[in-house]
């Protein structure tokens, strides 16, 4: 069984959903630390002025290790929900699938989740299902007896989930591979593989193409029914630690 584990980011890019679609089981690392100005609380859409960031304000947040996704409150007194919806409406009001996608965003915003983890998990889970992704989704905050830090903790989560293969985002190689090839996964019985994704082009409202935007951009331009096929078109064979090292050399 292959699994992936990722922090629940805000309105993630399309590669995040390819990772979910590729594995047998997926876990949100929702008890990880959430940092201000990280992808956990912000992402980008394409507006008439190019890239535009949408950022969720947090309440009483500090950079301490206790500020986790599952425990960090969204600033309920801020009008960010209305601001984000207005910005999205202005950016995509003329997009082909605006009428299909925008009501889903309005419904998620109206739910008024109290924590950033709850909002992100709901958005990702709902969006994945609407696109046709059927991978079972879990939250690491619900797992018992999973200790350690960084790659040691990832390995412990894999074992708790019964996985014998772990599909990691390439960005995690910086700490997994820091001390030795495959890090804590070396000789563990859990094979480490890396996600390999080539961002596909798709129609956008403006001239040219801007990649690595929020999934909202793909959905507004192409709709839920076409989105998964477009995402899968960017899929490439998974990489071992050695293959990733060679690719990055």
């Amino acid at each position: 069984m292959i699994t992936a584990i990722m922090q629940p980011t805000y309105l993630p890019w399309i590669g995040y959903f390819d990772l979910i679609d590729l594995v047998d089981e997926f876990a949100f690392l929702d008890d990880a630390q959430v940092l201000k100005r990280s992808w956990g609380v912000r992402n980008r859409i394409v507006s008439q002025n190019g890239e535009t960031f949408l950022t969720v304000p947090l309440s009483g947040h500090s950079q301490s290790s206790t500020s986790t996704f599952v425990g960090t409150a969204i600033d309920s007194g801020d009008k960010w929900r209305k601001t984000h919806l207005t910005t999205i409406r202005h950016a995509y009001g003329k997009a082909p699938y605006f009428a299909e996608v925008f009501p889903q965003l309005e419904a998620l915003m109206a739910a008024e989740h109290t924590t950033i983890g709850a909002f992100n998990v709901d958005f990702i889970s709902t969006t994945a299902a609407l696109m046709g992704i059927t991978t079972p989704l879990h939250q690491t905050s619900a797992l018992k007896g999973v200790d350690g830090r960084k790659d040691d903790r990832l390995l412990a989560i894999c074992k708790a989930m019964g996985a014998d293969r772990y599909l990691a985002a390439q960005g995690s190689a910086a700490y997994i591979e820091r001390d030795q090839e495959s890090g804590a996964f070396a000789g563990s019985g859990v094979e480490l593989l890396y996600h390999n994704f080539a961002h596909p082009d798709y129609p956008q409202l403006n001239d040219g193409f801007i990649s690595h935007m929020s999934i909202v951009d793909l959905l507004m331009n192409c709709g839920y029914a076409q989105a998964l096929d477009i995402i899968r078109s960017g899929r490439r064979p998974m990489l071992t630690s050695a293959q990733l090292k060679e690719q990055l050399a």
Side-chain angles (χ1 to χ4, degrees), residues 33-220:
Q33 182 183 12
V34 58
L35 300 173
K36 287 184 177 181
R37 300 185 64 80
S38 71
W39 298 118
V41 297
R42 67 176 187 166
N43 222 306
R44 300 169 292 181
I45 61 171
V46 180
S47 70
Q48 290 80 359
N49 300 317
E51 296 181 19
T52 297
F53 271 98
L54 301 174
T55 303
V56 180
L58 304 178
S59 177
H61 179 272
S62 70
Q63 301 290 49
S64 72
S65 60
T66 58
S67 298
T68 62
F69 284 89
V70 73
T72 299
I74 295 171
D75 188 349
S76 59
D78 195 284
K79 297 180 179 179
W80 70 273
R81 292 178 176 86
K82 181 178 179 180
T83 299
H84 285 201
L85 287 173
T86 299
T87 303
I88 291 170
R89 183 191 294 275
H90 287 162
Y92 297 108
K94 296 181 180 179
Y97 294 89
F98 176 83
E100 175 187 36
V101 177
F102 193 74
Q104 297 292 339
L105 296 176
E106 285 185 307
L108 283 164
M109 294 294 185
E112 296 189 352
H113 304 85
T114 57
T115 68
I116 187 62
F119 180 92
N120 290 352
V121 167
D122 192 10
F123 173 83
I124 296 166
S125 301
T126 300
T127 302
L130 287 169
M131 290 192 297
I133 296 174
T134 59
T135 304
L137 307 176
H138 309 279
Q139 295 172 242
T140 56
S141 59
L143 296 177
K144 304 298 182 184
V146 177
D147 301 315
R149 297 181 69 253
K150 296 191 175 181
D151 50 327
D152 288 311
R153 186 154 190 266
L154 295 175
L155 176 59
I157 293 169
C158 287
K159 290 184 174 180
M161 293 178 66
D164 56 11
R165 291 185 294 162
Y166 173 57
L167 183 59
Q170 290 191 21
S172 64
Y175 63 83
I176 292 178
E177 309 283 343
R178 181 187 57 218
D179 298 324
Q180 64 173 343
E181 187 173 293
S182 297
F185 290 89
S188 67
V190 178
E191 181 184 9
L192 173 65
L193 296 166
Y194 285 98
H195 187 212
N196 191 15
F197 186 76
H199 199 299
D201 289 3
Y202 53 82
Q204 286 179 330
L205 285 176
N206 302 325
D207 293 335
F209 180 76
I210 304 176
S211 70
H212 293 77
M213 296 295 102
S214 162
I215 186 72
V216 171
D217 185 73
L218 172 63
L219 295 176
M220 288 291 187

